[in-house]
Amino acid sequence: VLVSKLGERQNKANRDAADLAHWKEQLEIAKQAGSGPKQGLIHDMARFLESLRHNDNIDLGIAGCKQAKDIIDKYIAEHGDFEEDGNPELSARVPEFTELVKTLTATLKASEAALNESLDASASVEELKKSPLKVIEKEALKNAENYITKLRQDRDAAAAEVTNLSVAEGSAGSRAKTISEAARQHELVEAYCQLAEALSPTGIPADILQGALKPVNELLTTIAASSGWAAVQINDDIDIVYGERLYGLLSESEQWRADSMLSVALASLSGLGFVVLDRFDVLETSSRPQAIKLMLKCIKDSTIDQAIMAGTMKEPMKRVLPGMQAVWISDGAILDGKGGSNE
């Protein structure tokens, strides 16, 4: 460490020596400023140069006058004006400068002592390098430094653990109460979570809805099997699905089939036993017999009691199946039509 500070201490000693020399000079100037003209070669030379600059009998030339003025200006900046009677203000600062010189002398002495300490250490290191001790390998020094670093880390960790233990010890008295309160709050949270889950759309309401929809969807499945059409179902979101598509995505004829099966299911479950289906003609010609046979089968197995289907047709039905009656209405009047039994 001492060797590493050698350059720093050398620079400080140099600065302190320069500061001391400067203020010693200032102290001498202040002492001479007490009374009478300033004494010394530099002051005599400055006064002589100033007299030459203002002597009309001597021609210094423009460059010489400028150079002389620059020298005189620098002199005044450093030593003050030419005062034959002295400088009382500067003279009054002699005690101040004396104390400053005394302080700087002590500072320089301390800096030189520190510098000598580093110089001695550096010399000792050089001697050690020449001695048998140089066999100490760098790896051993590195291991020692690493070990010291680990010891410091262990010390810091131990200090932190002591702090944590102190805090834990301080709160040990209220620990049991804290645990009890935490357990109670945990039970409340669990209860509220269960309540929220039960009241959510996927909880009790969903169970009630599924219970109500189950018989409806089962009946719709049975009706679809009798018709040969795709099954109509009502999902948990109360959406009507025909096959695998939502009701709004169906064609007009597919919506009529879904509506007819839903009407049959509602008539059966409500006990009404009666359906009326308009726009029978929206179905393709090949699909109309399926609708008629579905109604006849639902009546036969007592799913419903009666069904009326109406549509705009080109001509009366040529063949009326047993168990149904065909009525042709033209211009608001019922015409005789071919019909089967009145069952």
Side-chain angles (χ1 to χ4, degrees):
V1 177
L2 294 176
V3 176
S4 65
K5 292 184 178 180
L6 178 59
E8 177 185 346
R9 290 181 175 183
Q10 181 67 66
N11 293 334
K12 186 176 186 307
N14 293 339
R15 289 195 302 271
D16 292 343
D19 290 344
L20 179 60
H22 170 74
W23 287 106
K24 278 185 176 181
E25 181 182 357
Q26 295 301 313
L27 176 60
E28 291 302 320
I29 294 173
K31 286 180 179 180
Q32 294 178 14
S35 61
K38 297 180 177 66
Q39 301 298 320
L41 178 61
I42 189 172
H43 305 297
D44 294 339
M45 292 176 67
R47 282 191 288 269
F48 176 72
L49 184 60
E50 179 69 4
S51 66
L52 289 179
R53 193 165 68 92
H54 294 289
N55 191 334
D56 295 334
N57 296 324
I58 300 175
D59 186 9
L60 297 177
I62 296 176
C65 288
K66 183 178 184 306
Q67 186 176 8
K69 182 179 183 303
D70 292 342
I71 294 173
I72 294 302
D73 289 343
K74 185 176 181 182
Y75 170 84
I76 293 174
E78 294 182 2
H79 303 282
D81 294 334
F82 296 100
E83 297 180 6
E84 298 298 329
D85 295 333
N87 187 343
E89 294 181 358
L90 182 59
S91 179
R93 301 189 66 183
V94 169
E96 176 188 347
F97 290 171
T98 301
E99 187 65 28
L100 182 57
V101 168
K102 182 179 178 181
T103 301
L104 290 174
T105 300
T107 301
L108 177 59
K109 184 178 180 181
S111 297
E112 289 176 342
L115 176 60
N116 291 332
E117 184 181 22
S118 291
L119 289 171
D120 293 341
S122 178
S124 299
V125 169
E126 292 300 324
E127 289 296 326
L128 286 174
K129 289 180 179 179
K130 298 176 183 179
S131 69
L133 292 177
K134 65 180 180 180
V135 298
I136 300 177
E137 297 182 359
K138 293 182 179 180
E139 187 66 26
L141 293 175
K142 183 178 180 181
N143 292 338
E145 291 175 354
N146 293 338
Y147 184 68
I148 291 173
T149 301
K150 183 178 182 305
L151 289 177
R152 289 174 178 171
Q153 292 175 346
D154 292 343
R155 177 200 61 191
D156 295 341
E161 183 65 19
V162 169
T163 301
N164 293 336
L165 290 175
S166 298
V167 173
E169 182 180 5
S171 60
S174 59
R175 181 183 177 188
K177 181 179 179 181
T178 302
I179 293 175
S180 176
E181 180 64 19
R184 190 179 73 85
Q185 295 296 332
H186 179 69
E187 292 176 356
L188 287 175
V189 169
E190 285 186 334
Y192 283 127
C193 288
Q194 292 175 0
L195 181 60
E197 183 178 356
L199 296 178
S200 68
T202 59
I204 296 176
D207 294 339
I208 296 175
L209 180 61
Q210 290 176 356
L213 290 178
K214 185 177 180 180
V216 176
N217 286 328
E218 288 177 350
L219 180 56
L220 286 170
T221 300
T222 302
I223 295 172
S226 300
S227 65
W229 295 337
V232 179
Q233 295 286 288
I234 303 176
N235 61 24
D236 294 341
D237 294 327
I238 317 300
D239 291 325
I240 297 174
V241 180
Y242 179 77
E244 296 181 355
R245 289 182 295 158
L246 293 174
Y247 184 86
L249 301 177
L250 302 176
S251 65
E252 188 176 16
S253 62
E254 289 174 326
Q255 289 182 351
W256 192 93
R257 296 172 195 172
D259 292 341
S260 63
M261 287 187 283
L262 286 169
S263 298
V264 171
L266 292 176
S268 175
L269 293 173
S270 65
L272 182 63
F274 178 78
V275 295
V276 177
L277 303 173
D278 193 10
R279 298 202 64 201
F280 170 68
D281 55 287
V282 77
L283 296 176
E284 297 177 349
T285 304
S286 60
S287 298
R288 293 170 186 173
Q290 295 176 339
I292 295 173
K293 290 179 180 179
L294 171 62
M295 296 302 142
L296 290 173
K297 188 175 186 307
C298 289
I299 293 173
K300 184 177 180 180
D301 60 19
S302 300
T303 301
I304 56 176
D305 299 326
Q306 189 175 12
I308 297 176
M309 290 192 296
T312 302
M313 315 298 289
K314 292 182 179 180
E315 58 183 0
M317 293 180 64
K318 296 179 179 180
R319 179 172 176 270
V320 179
L321 298 177
M324 66 174 291
Q325 178 182 3
V327 177
W328 184 264
I329 301 175
S330 178
D331 296 329
I334 298 177
L335 303 179
D336 292 337
K338 296 179 179 180
S341 65
N342 293 327
E343 296 178 2

